[in-house]
Amino acid sequence: MGDVRDLFISRTMIHRTLLSWYIWFVCGLVYYGIMFSSPSIGGNMYLNFFIAALFEAVGMLIGIYLFNWFGRKKSIVGSLWVAGVAAIIAAVLSQYDDESDGYLAGKILTSMVVGKLFITIAFDGVFIYASELFPTVIRNTAMGSSSAAARVGSACAPYIVYSQRVHPLMPFGIMAINALISGILCMTLPETKDKAMPDTIKQVYMNSQHSGIDAGNTDDETTKLAPSYIMLESTA
Protein backbone atom coordinates (compact mmCIF):
# COMPACT_ATOMS: atom_id res chain seq x y z
CA MET A 1 0.00 0.00 0.00
CA GLY A 2 1.08 3.56 -0.62
CA ASP A 3 1.91 6.25 1.88
CA VAL A 4 1.36 9.98 1.95
CA ARG A 5 4.48 10.62 -0.17
CA ASP A 6 2.77 8.92 -3.12
CA LEU A 7 0.15 11.68 -3.12
CA PHE A 8 2.88 14.07 -4.30
CA ILE A 9 4.80 11.77 -6.64
CA SER A 10 3.83 13.60 -9.85
CA ARG A 11 2.22 16.83 -10.94
CA THR A 12 -1.01 15.02 -11.70
CA MET A 13 -1.14 13.56 -8.20
CA ILE A 14 -0.17 16.87 -6.59
CA HIS A 15 -2.93 18.60 -8.51
CA ARG A 16 -5.55 16.06 -7.46
CA THR A 17 -4.35 15.86 -3.87
CA LEU A 18 -4.23 19.58 -3.14
CA LEU A 19 -7.57 20.27 -4.80
CA SER A 20 -9.18 17.34 -3.02
CA TRP A 21 -7.92 18.65 0.32
CA TYR A 22 -9.15 22.16 -0.39
CA ILE A 23 -12.59 21.09 -1.63
CA TRP A 24 -13.07 18.85 1.40
CA PHE A 25 -11.89 21.70 3.65
CA VAL A 26 -14.43 24.07 2.11
CA CYS A 27 -17.26 21.55 2.37
CA GLY A 28 -16.54 21.07 6.07
CA LEU A 29 -16.23 24.82 6.62
CA VAL A 30 -19.47 25.79 4.87
CA TYR A 31 -21.49 22.79 6.09
CA TYR A 32 -20.74 23.38 9.76
CA GLY A 33 -20.59 27.15 9.32
CA ILE A 34 -24.24 27.15 8.26
CA MET A 35 -25.20 24.85 11.13
CA PHE A 36 -23.40 26.98 13.71
CA SER A 37 -25.06 30.09 12.28
CA SER A 38 -28.55 28.88 13.18
CA PRO A 39 -28.60 30.62 16.61
CA SER A 40 -27.21 33.92 15.31
CA ILE A 41 -29.03 34.29 12.02
CA GLY A 42 -32.19 35.50 13.71
CA GLY A 43 -35.57 34.06 14.58
CA ASN A 44 -35.98 30.83 16.50
CA MET A 45 -32.68 28.96 16.59
CA TYR A 46 -34.40 25.61 17.16
CA LEU A 47 -36.59 26.11 14.12
CA ASN A 48 -33.56 27.22 12.09
CA PHE A 49 -31.67 24.09 13.09
CA PHE A 50 -34.66 21.90 12.26
CA ILE A 51 -35.03 23.50 8.82
CA ALA A 52 -31.33 22.99 8.11
CA ALA A 53 -31.49 19.34 9.18
CA LEU A 54 -34.64 18.76 7.13
CA PHE A 55 -33.12 20.09 3.93
CA GLU A 56 -29.93 18.18 4.59
CA ALA A 57 -31.98 14.99 4.25
CA VAL A 58 -33.56 16.36 1.08
CA GLY A 59 -30.10 17.15 -0.29
CA MET A 60 -28.96 13.57 0.26
CA LEU A 61 -31.86 12.26 -1.81
CA ILE A 62 -31.39 14.81 -4.59
CA GLY A 63 -27.67 14.07 -4.70
CA ILE A 64 -28.30 10.43 -5.60
CA TYR A 65 -30.06 11.55 -8.76
CA LEU A 66 -27.60 14.32 -9.64
CA PHE A 67 -24.46 12.20 -9.32
CA ASN A 68 -25.86 9.44 -11.51
CA TRP A 69 -27.42 11.73 -14.10
CA PHE A 70 -25.06 14.69 -14.44
CA GLY A 71 -21.86 13.12 -13.15
CA ARG A 72 -19.73 13.79 -10.10
CA LYS A 73 -17.83 16.88 -11.19
CA LYS A 74 -20.75 18.87 -12.60
CA SER A 75 -22.91 18.11 -9.58
CA ILE A 76 -20.23 19.14 -7.10
CA VAL A 77 -19.26 22.28 -9.04
CA GLY A 78 -22.87 23.38 -9.45
CA SER A 79 -23.68 22.68 -5.80
CA LEU A 80 -20.68 24.65 -4.56
CA TRP A 81 -21.59 27.59 -6.77
CA VAL A 82 -25.23 27.64 -5.68
CA ALA A 83 -24.18 27.36 -2.03
CA GLY A 84 -21.72 30.21 -2.59
CA VAL A 85 -24.35 32.45 -4.17
CA ALA A 86 -26.77 31.64 -1.34
CA ALA A 87 -24.08 32.60 1.17
CA ILE A 88 -23.50 35.90 -0.66
CA ILE A 89 -27.20 36.74 -0.46
CA ALA A 90 -27.29 35.77 3.22
CA ALA A 91 -24.22 37.97 3.83
CA VAL A 92 -25.87 40.97 2.17
CA LEU A 93 -29.10 40.46 4.11
CA SER A 94 -27.11 40.20 7.35
CA GLN A 95 -26.54 43.95 7.19
CA TYR A 96 -30.22 44.68 7.58
CA ASP A 97 -32.39 44.76 10.67
CA ASP A 98 -33.43 41.33 11.97
CA GLU A 99 -36.74 42.82 13.07
CA SER A 100 -37.82 42.97 9.43
CA ASP A 101 -39.71 39.78 8.64
CA GLY A 102 -38.75 39.98 4.98
CA TYR A 103 -35.01 40.17 5.58
CA LEU A 104 -35.17 37.52 8.29
CA ALA A 105 -37.07 35.13 6.04
CA GLY A 106 -34.59 35.83 3.24
CA LYS A 107 -31.61 34.96 5.43
CA ILE A 108 -33.22 31.75 6.64
CA LEU A 109 -34.25 30.77 3.11
CA THR A 110 -30.86 31.39 1.52
CA SER A 111 -28.67 29.98 4.29
CA MET A 112 -30.67 27.34 6.14
CA VAL A 113 -32.52 26.07 3.06
CA VAL A 114 -30.64 26.73 -0.17
CA GLY A 115 -27.15 26.89 1.30
CA LYS A 116 -27.50 23.80 3.48
CA LEU A 117 -29.24 21.84 0.73
CA PHE A 118 -26.50 22.34 -1.84
CA ILE A 119 -23.49 22.13 0.45
CA THR A 120 -24.88 18.78 1.61
CA ILE A 121 -24.98 17.62 -2.00
CA ALA A 122 -21.39 18.78 -2.54
CA PHE A 123 -20.18 17.20 0.71
CA ASP A 124 -21.80 13.87 -0.13
CA GLY A 125 -20.38 14.06 -3.64
CA VAL A 126 -16.76 14.48 -2.63
CA PHE A 127 -16.84 11.12 -0.86
CA ILE A 128 -17.66 9.45 -4.17
CA TYR A 129 -15.53 11.73 -6.32
CA ALA A 130 -12.32 11.50 -4.28
CA SER A 131 -12.50 7.72 -4.07
CA GLU A 132 -12.70 7.56 -7.87
CA LEU A 133 -9.95 10.13 -8.51
CA PHE A 134 -7.21 8.22 -6.70
CA PRO A 135 -5.80 4.78 -7.56
CA THR A 136 -6.25 1.73 -5.37
CA VAL A 137 -2.67 1.79 -4.04
CA ILE A 138 -3.18 5.16 -2.33
CA ARG A 139 -6.96 5.48 -2.17
CA ASN A 140 -7.13 4.92 1.59
CA THR A 141 -4.37 7.48 2.17
CA ALA A 142 -6.05 10.02 -0.09
CA MET A 143 -9.48 9.54 1.48
CA GLY A 144 -8.11 9.68 5.01
CA SER A 145 -6.10 12.85 4.42
CA SER A 146 -9.00 14.49 2.57
CA SER A 147 -11.35 13.67 5.42
CA ALA A 148 -8.82 15.19 7.82
CA ALA A 149 -8.88 18.38 5.71
CA ALA A 150 -12.67 18.48 6.12
CA ARG A 151 -12.23 18.17 9.88
CA VAL A 152 -9.90 21.18 9.81
CA GLY A 153 -12.61 23.09 7.96
CA SER A 154 -15.25 22.10 10.49
CA ALA A 155 -12.92 23.13 13.33
CA CYS A 156 -12.55 26.57 11.71
CA ALA A 157 -16.32 27.00 11.30
CA PRO A 158 -17.07 28.30 14.83
CA TYR A 159 -14.40 30.97 14.46
CA ILE A 160 -15.82 31.98 11.09
CA VAL A 161 -19.27 32.38 12.65
CA TYR A 162 -17.75 34.34 15.54
CA SER A 163 -16.20 36.78 13.03
CA GLN A 164 -19.59 38.47 12.73
CA ARG A 165 -18.51 40.47 15.77
CA VAL A 166 -15.93 42.08 13.49
CA HIS A 167 -18.33 42.68 10.60
CA PRO A 168 -21.76 41.18 9.76
CA LEU A 169 -20.59 40.32 6.24
CA MET A 170 -17.64 38.19 7.31
CA PRO A 171 -19.13 34.77 8.20
CA PHE A 172 -21.18 34.18 5.07
CA GLY A 173 -18.77 36.24 2.99
CA ILE A 174 -15.88 33.93 3.86
CA MET A 175 -18.01 30.87 3.21
CA ALA A 176 -19.20 32.26 -0.12
CA ILE A 177 -15.73 33.13 -1.42
CA ASN A 178 -14.33 29.72 -0.56
CA ALA A 179 -17.31 27.87 -2.03
CA LEU A 180 -17.07 29.76 -5.32
CA ILE A 181 -13.28 29.34 -5.58
CA SER A 182 -13.44 25.62 -4.82
CA GLY A 183 -16.13 25.18 -7.48
CA ILE A 184 -13.93 26.89 -10.06
CA LEU A 185 -10.90 24.79 -9.11
CA CYS A 186 -12.94 21.59 -9.21
CA MET A 187 -13.55 22.23 -12.91
CA THR A 188 -9.88 21.42 -13.57
CA LEU A 189 -10.36 17.84 -12.35
CA PRO A 190 -11.55 15.03 -14.63
CA GLU A 191 -15.01 13.50 -14.61
CA THR A 192 -15.08 9.99 -13.13
CA LYS A 193 -18.64 8.90 -13.87
CA ASP A 194 -18.78 5.60 -15.78
CA LYS A 195 -14.97 5.45 -15.80
CA ALA A 196 -12.96 2.47 -14.58
CA MET A 197 -11.35 3.21 -11.23
CA PRO A 198 -7.53 3.23 -11.55
CA ASP A 199 -5.47 0.66 -9.67
CA THR A 200 -2.02 2.22 -10.10
CA ILE A 201 -0.55 5.69 -10.34
CA LYS A 202 0.51 4.93 -13.90
CA GLN A 203 -3.12 4.36 -14.87
CA VAL A 204 -4.01 7.77 -13.42
CA TYR A 205 -1.28 9.32 -15.53
CA MET A 206 -2.37 7.51 -18.70
CA ASN A 207 -6.03 8.43 -18.17
CA SER A 208 -5.14 12.08 -17.65
CA GLN A 209 -3.08 12.10 -20.84
CA HIS A 210 -5.99 10.65 -22.81
CA SER A 211 -8.57 13.03 -21.35
CA GLY A 212 -6.33 16.10 -21.56
CA ILE A 213 -7.46 17.16 -18.07
CA ASP A 214 -4.94 17.64 -15.23
CA ALA A 215 -2.26 16.24 -17.55
CA GLY A 216 1.21 17.69 -17.58
CA ASN A 217 3.60 14.99 -16.44
CA THR A 218 6.56 13.97 -18.50
CA ASP A 219 7.55 10.44 -19.43
CA ASP A 220 10.57 10.74 -17.15
CA GLU A 221 8.31 11.62 -14.26
CA THR A 222 6.35 8.39 -14.50
CA THR A 223 9.55 6.37 -14.09
CA LYS A 224 10.18 7.97 -10.69
CA LEU A 225 7.07 6.74 -8.96
CA ALA A 226 6.99 5.53 -5.38
CA PRO A 227 7.99 1.99 -4.39
CA SER A 228 4.34 1.07 -3.78
CA TYR A 229 3.58 1.73 -7.43
CA ILE A 230 6.66 -0.13 -8.70
CA MET A 231 5.96 -3.16 -6.52
CA LEU A 232 2.37 -3.38 -7.69
CA GLU A 233 3.35 -3.16 -11.34
CA SER A 234 6.08 -5.78 -10.99
CA THR A 235 3.69 -8.30 -9.44
CA ALA A 236 0.81 -7.62 -11.82
Side-chain angles (χ1 to χ4, degrees):
M1 300 300 291
D3 58 37
V4 70
R5 292 173 298 176
D6 294 344
L7 296 175
F8 302 94
I9 203 64
S10 67
R11 277 183 287 178
T12 296
M13 295 309 304
I14 292 173
H15 176 229
R16 295 191 180 194
T17 298
L18 294 182
L19 289 195
S20 178
W21 287 358
Y22 179 61
I23 294 169
W24 279 69
F25 169 84
V26 172
C27 286
L29 176 70
V30 178
Y31 178 91
Y32 287 99
I34 291 175
M35 292 300 293
F36 293 149
S37 296
S38 57
S40 59
I41 197 172
N44 188 304
M45 68 176 181
Y46 301 106
L47 180 60
N48 293 344
F49 193 89
F50 172 77
I51 292 173
L54 176 64
F55 279 89
E56 177 180 351
V58 175
M60 292 178 181
L61 297 176
I62 295 176
I64 296 173
Y65 168 79
L66 292 179
F67 300 137
N68 289 325
W69 186 262
F70 295 103
R72 284 63 157 137
K73 183 172 78 170
K74 291 180 180 178
S75 300
I76 293 172
V77 169
S79 297
L80 287 170
W81 283 352
V82 174
V85 171
I88 291 175
I89 297 174
V92 173
L93 294 178
S94 296
Q95 299 184 92
Y96 296 95
D97 188 2
D98 287 341
E99 298 301 324
S100 172
D101 292 338
Y103 290 126
L104 177 59
K107 284 194 293 183
I108 294 174
L109 176 65
T110 54
S111 60
M112 297 293 109
V113 176
V114 179
K116 187 61 185 298
L117 173 69
F118 282 95
I119 198 60
T120 297
I121 295 174
F123 210 165
D124 289 347
V126 294
F127 280 88
I128 304 172
Y129 195 37
S131 66
E132 295 174 344
L133 278 176
F134 294 94
T136 303
V137 290
I138 56 172
R139 186 170 295 124
N140 61 336
T141 304
M143 290 295 293
S145 59
S146 296
S147 181
R151 303 290 79 79
V152 174
S154 62
C156 293
Y159 301 99
I160 299 300
V161 175
Y162 190 77
S163 67
Q164 68 178 336
R165 293 175 177 264
V166 179
H167 195 283
L169 284 174
M170 287 191 67
F172 284 103
I174 293 173
M175 288 187 272
I177 291 172
N178 280 280
L180 294 174
I181 292 175
S182 62
I184 294 172
L185 294 176
C186 186
M187 294 179 65
T188 65
L189 294 171
E191 177 58 72
T192 59
K193 179 178 179 291
D194 298 329
K195 302 287 181 63
M197 295 176 69
D199 291 323
T200 66
I201 298 176
K202 183 177 181 180
Q203 289 178 358
V204 172
Y205 167 71
M206 296 302 296
N207 292 340
S208 66
Q209 291 295 98
H210 292 155
S211 65
I213 299 177
D214 81 351
N217 294 316
T218 63
D219 291 337
D220 291 339
E221 192 175 12
T222 59
T223 64
K224 300 177 182 178
L225 299 177
S228 60
Y229 155 71
I230 297 172
M231 290 174 61
L232 185 64
E233 285 293 289
S234 63
T235 58

